C-alpha cells in the first residue's frame, strides 16, 4: 500500500498547481516544502494564461482579482535599434482581446501563499518546513521520497507518483535520468534589488514591465505597488566581472550605465524592509533537461527547465507544466489513458511551449533590429496568420498559435488561449482539437486527458 497517490516536492506556483489539481480529483496528495510561507521568490511578472486560465481552473481567479496586485496590460521596451521606448499590449492578440487582455505584477510572498493555501483547501496535505532528501526506487519505478520533517527526523513517504517542483536547486531532478543542459546563448547573470518611490510610466501603461537594454545587458523594472519596484540587471557573461566584488557598488554602476532606468530612479531610494532590503544574484539560469519524466517521477517548473526572463515566462512555464503533469497523473490513476501516452503528451506540449520562448529569444537578442523585426520574427516562429504585432503579443502572452511541429492542422488555439476560454466558460468551452497528430485532448473539466473522437 502506498501512503499517498501523489507526493509533490515544492510549494511554489508549479507545486501548488499540480497538488491542487490532483487533490481536486479526490487523490491523496502530500506536498512538502522546506521553507515556511510566506517566503521570498523572484519571478514577479505574470502572463494572462496563468491568471485567466490556470488560476481559474484552480478556483482562484476571483481571489487574485481582489488581491489588489498591479495590473499589467503588456510590456514596454527600450530595446534594439529604436532609441525610443516602444510598447506592446496583450490586447493586440485576438486570443487575449477583451476581458482577458491583462495579467498582474505580484509580490511572490503573497501570490505563492495564496496558491499554497488553495492547494490545502482543495484537499492536499501541505507540510511546510519539510525538506526532501531524495527519492526511493523500487522495481525500476520511483515509489517515494525520503525527507526530514519539521523536527529534523528522517521520514519515508510512498506514492504512485512523485512530482519534483522544487526549483532550480532541486535535489531530485537527477533521478529521472538524462542531464541538465545550460544554454550557450543565455548564460547571463542577474543582480537585483528593490526601490521605493520610483517613477511610473503614464497611464494606461503604468503597470507594464519595462525592459531597457544597455551595452552589457538589460534591466527589468517591475512596479509591484504604488511605491515598490523590482529592479534587476541582467548582465552578459562576458561582462560578469562588473558584478564581482562589492555588489552594492556594482549595482549602482550598472544603473548609471542605463540612462532610462537611472532617470526612473532619480527620486527613488532603496527599500529597507525585509525581504526587499538586500541585493540578490542569480547566474547561469537558462537550461533544459534531456529527460523530463520517468516511471513514477515527473519534473515541472524550474526543476525541469528555465529560460531568460525577458518575457516573464517563469511562472507561466511552471504552472503550465504543472497542469500538464496533473492531467497525466489524474488520467493514469483513473485508468482512462495509459501512463506512457499521458506523459508523452505532457512532454510534447511542455517542450513545444519552452521552444517557442527559446527560439524567439534567440532573435530578440539581436540588438541591431527594431520592434517591427521582432514582431515579424514572432510571426514566423509561431506560424501566425494574422498581423505581426498580434503574433508578438500572443507569443509573449503565452497563447501562441498553431502546431509547432510544422505539420499545421489549421488555425488551432494553443493551450494558453484555450485555458483562458475555459476559465471564462468552464465546460461550455467544449472539446479542443489535438495539438499534435494522434495526440490527446483535455476533458471538458480540464483536469484529465482523453482520446479525441475520430
Amino acid at each position: 500500500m502506498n501512503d499517498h497517490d501523489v507526493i509533490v516536492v515544492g510549494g511554489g506556483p508549479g507545486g501548488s498547481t499540480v497538488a491542487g489539481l490532483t487533490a481536486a480529483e479526490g487523490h491523496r496528495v502530500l506536498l512538502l516544502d522546506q521553507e515556511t510561507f510566506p517566503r521570498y521568490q523572484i519571478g514577479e511578472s505574470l502572463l494572462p494564461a496563468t491568471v485567466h486560465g490556470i488560476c481559474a481552473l484552480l478556483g482562484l481567479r476571483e481571489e487574485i482579482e481582489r488581491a489588489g496586485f498591479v495590473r499589467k496590460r503588456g510590456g514596454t521596451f527600450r530595446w534594439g535599434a529604436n532609441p525610443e521606448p516602444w510598447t506592446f499590449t496583450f490586447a493586440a492578440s485576438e486570443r487575449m482581446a477583451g476581458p482577458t487582455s491583462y495579467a498582474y505584477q505580484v509580490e511572490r510572498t503573497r501570490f505563492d501563499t495564496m496558491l499554497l493555501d488553495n492547494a490545502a483547501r482543495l484537499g492536499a496535505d501541505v507540510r511546510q518546513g519539510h525538506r526532501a532528501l531524495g527519492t526511493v526506487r523500487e522495481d525500476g519505478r520511483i515509489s517515494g521520497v525520503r525527507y526530514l520533517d519539521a523536527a529534523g527526523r528522517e521520514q519515508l513517504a510512498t506514492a504512485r507518483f512523485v512530482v519534483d517542483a522544487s526549483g532550480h536547486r532541486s535535489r531530485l531532478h537527477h533521478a529521472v535520468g538524462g542531464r541538465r543542459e545550460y544554454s550557450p546563448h543565455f548564460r547571463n547573470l542577474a543582480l537585483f534589488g528593490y526601490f521605493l518611490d520610483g517613477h511610473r510610466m503614464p497611464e494606461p501603461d503604468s503597470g507594464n514591465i519595462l525592459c531597457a537594454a544597455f551595452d552589457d545587458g538589460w534591466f527589468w523594472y517591475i512596479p509591484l505597488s504604488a511605491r515598490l519596484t523590482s529592479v534587476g540587471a541582467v548582465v552578459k557573461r562576458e561582462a560578469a566581472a562588473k558584478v564581482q566584488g562589492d555588489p552594492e557598488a556594482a549595482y549602482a554602476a550598472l544603473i548609471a550605465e542605463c540612462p532610462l532606468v537611472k532617470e526612473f530612479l532619480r527620486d527613488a531610494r532603496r527599500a529597507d524592509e525585509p525581504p526587499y532590503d538586500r541585493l540578490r544574484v542569480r547566474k547561469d539560469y537558462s537550461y533544459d533537461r534531456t529527460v523530463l519524466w520517468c516511471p513514477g517521477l515527473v519534473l515541472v517548473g524550474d526543476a525541469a527547465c528555465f529560460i531568460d526572463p525577458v518575457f516573464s515566462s517563469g511562472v507561466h512555464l511552471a504552472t503550465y507544466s504543472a497542469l500538464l503533469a496533473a492531467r497525466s497523473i489524474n488520467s493514469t490513476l483513473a485508468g482512462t489513458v495509459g501512463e506512457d501516452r499521458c506523459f508523452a503528451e505532457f512532454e510534447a506540449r511542455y517542450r513545444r511551449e519552452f521552444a517557442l520562448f527559446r527560439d524567439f529569444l534567440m532573435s530578440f537578442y539581436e540588438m541591431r533590429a527594431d520592434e517591427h523585426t521582432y514582431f515579424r520574427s514572432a510571426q514566423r516562429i509561431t506560424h501566425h496568420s494574422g498581423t505581426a504585432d498580434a503574433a508578438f503579443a500572443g507569443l509573449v502572452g503565452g497563447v501562441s498559435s498553431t502546431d509547432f511541429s510544422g505539420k499545421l492542422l489549421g488555425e488551432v488555439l494553443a493551450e494558453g488561449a484555450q485555458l483562458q476560454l475555459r476559465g471564462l466558460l468552464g465546460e461550455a468551452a467544449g472539446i479542443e482539437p489535438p495539438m499534435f497528430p494522434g495526440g490527446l485532448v483535455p476533458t471538458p473539466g480540464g483536469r484529465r486527458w482523453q482520446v479525441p473522437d475520430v
Side-chain angles (χ1 to χ4, degrees):
M1 292 292 293
N2 293 305
D3 297 322
H4 305 88
D5 297 309
V6 185
I7 299 173
V8 180
V9 179
S16 294
T17 295
V18 71
L21 292 175
T22 52
E25 288 283 287
H27 301 309
R28 299 166 300 162
V29 179
L30 172 66
L31 187 153
L32 306 172
D33 195 287
Q34 66 180 357
E35 298 190 59
T36 301
F37 285 54
R39 56 93 175 97
Y40 172 83
Q41 186 57 270
I42 194 63
E44 298 142 329
S45 197
L46 304 186
L47 298 183
T50 299
V51 175
H52 306 292
I54 293 171
C55 288
L57 282 175
L58 289 166
L60 198 57
R61 182 170 179 263
E62 289 74 18
E63 183 178 341
I64 291 173
E65 295 279 347
R66 295 191 300 267
F69 294 125
V70 172
R71 186 170 289 203
K72 168 187 173 182
R73 299 177 65 253
T76 299
F77 291 85
R78 165 59 280 277
W79 196 279
N82 189 341
E84 298 299 321
W86 49 274
T87 295
F88 81 91
T89 62
F90 294 126
S93 168
E94 68 277 12
R95 286 158 182 77
M96 292 182 290
T100 62
S101 60
Y102 64 91
Y104 290 108
Q105 319 283 19
V106 298
E107 294 182 67
R108 291 285 299 275
T109 51
R110 297 173 55 206
F111 178 75
D112 289 14
T113 300
M114 291 167 65
L115 266 65
L116 188 68
D117 289 346
N118 187 65
R121 285 196 299 270
L122 290 172
D125 179 1
V126 175
R127 301 183 190 177
Q128 302 179 50
H130 287 56
R131 181 164 66 92
L133 300 174
T135 58
V136 177
R137 190 182 300 269
E138 185 176 353
D139 296 328
R141 183 181 184 87
I142 299 299
S143 59
V145 172
R146 294 181 298 105
Y147 67 94
L148 294 179
D149 65 18
R153 298 182 296 259
E154 184 168 338
Q155 306 281 359
L156 170 66
T158 59
R160 291 279 303 280
F161 286 97
V162 174
V163 181
D164 182 8
S166 57
H168 71 286
R169 295 179 178 173
S170 163
R171 294 170 175 264
L172 311 183
H173 70 95
H174 300 288
V176 297
R179 63 190 181 278
R180 179 179 284 184
E181 296 182 337
Y182 288 88
S183 169
H185 304 286
F186 305 115
R187 300 195 71 176
N188 299 329
L189 181 149
L191 177 63
F192 48 97
Y194 296 83
F195 283 82
L196 296 174
D197 301 324
H199 178 69
R200 294 288 181 264
M201 289 180 285
E203 295 293 350
D205 301 322
S206 64
N208 281 7
I209 183 173
L210 169 67
C211 297
F214 63 105
D215 287 345
D216 289 320
W218 61 276
F219 270 91
W220 75 68
Y221 188 95
I222 302 174
L224 297 178
S225 71
R227 298 192 64 200
L228 183 66
T229 307
S230 173
V231 181
V234 176
V235 180
K236 302 172 186 176
R237 187 176 182 86
E238 53 267 30
K242 291 191 173 185
V243 188
Q244 305 302 319
D246 182 356
E248 292 285 350
Y251 192 50
L254 290 168
I255 290 171
E257 290 184 34
C258 187
L260 184 57
V261 170
K262 179 182 177 182
E263 176 62 23
F264 271 41
L265 295 175
R266 183 180 59 182
D267 299 321
R269 62 181 177 86
R270 285 282 302 282
D272 53 9
E273 294 289 334
Y276 303 120
D277 57 338
R278 67 185 186 90
L279 293 179
R280 293 176 168 88
V281 177
R282 283 281 303 273
K283 63 181 180 179
D284 289 344
Y285 48 71
S286 293
Y287 53 86
D288 193 4
R289 279 201 59 87
T290 58
V291 177
L292 299 179
W293 70 281
C294 71
L297 175 63
V298 60
L299 311 182
V300 303
D302 291 3
C305 59
F306 186 80
I307 195 66
D308 187 277
V310 68
F311 289 129
S312 309
S313 57
V315 173
H316 167 66
L317 288 171
T319 54
Y320 177 66
S321 60
L323 170 66
L324 301 178
R327 286 174 174 167
S328 302
I329 292 169
N330 288 337
S331 303
T332 303
L333 291 176
T336 55
V337 187
E339 180 177 355
D340 288 351
R341 191 171 184 186
C342 284
F343 283 95
E345 187 73 25
F346 157 84
E347 181 156 359
R349 291 190 182 227
Y350 192 6
R351 289 199 184 280
R352 172 196 178 276
E353 193 75 358
F354 180 81
L356 283 171
F357 282 95
R358 180 200 62 212
D359 294 350
F360 181 66
L361 278 164
M362 295 281 289
S363 63
F364 196 69
Y365 266 87
E366 173 48 70
M367 293 295 187
R368 291 170 293 183
D370 62 16
E371 64 269 31
H372 304 293
T373 304
Y374 302 137
F375 293 170
R376 289 192 295 271
S377 178
Q379 187 178 42
R380 181 183 69 256
I381 288 169
T382 61
H383 307 289
H384 194 282
S385 63
T387 64
D389 62 333
F392 180 90
L395 174 61
V396 303
V399 296
S400 54
S401 65
T402 76
D403 174 10
F404 194 61
S405 71
K407 298 178 180 178
L408 303 184
L409 302 176
E411 194 64 17
V412 179
L413 289 180
E415 188 72 350
Q418 186 66 29
L419 282 171
Q420 291 182 231
L421 181 64
R422 194 171 301 281
L424 290 174
L425 300 181
E427 295 194 10
I431 301 297
E432 65 186 82
M435 185 173 287
F436 306 100
L440 302 172
V441 297
T443 56
R447 296 200 296 253
R448 296 186 190 178
W449 297 120
Q450 66 181 21
V451 178
D453 295 333
V454 178

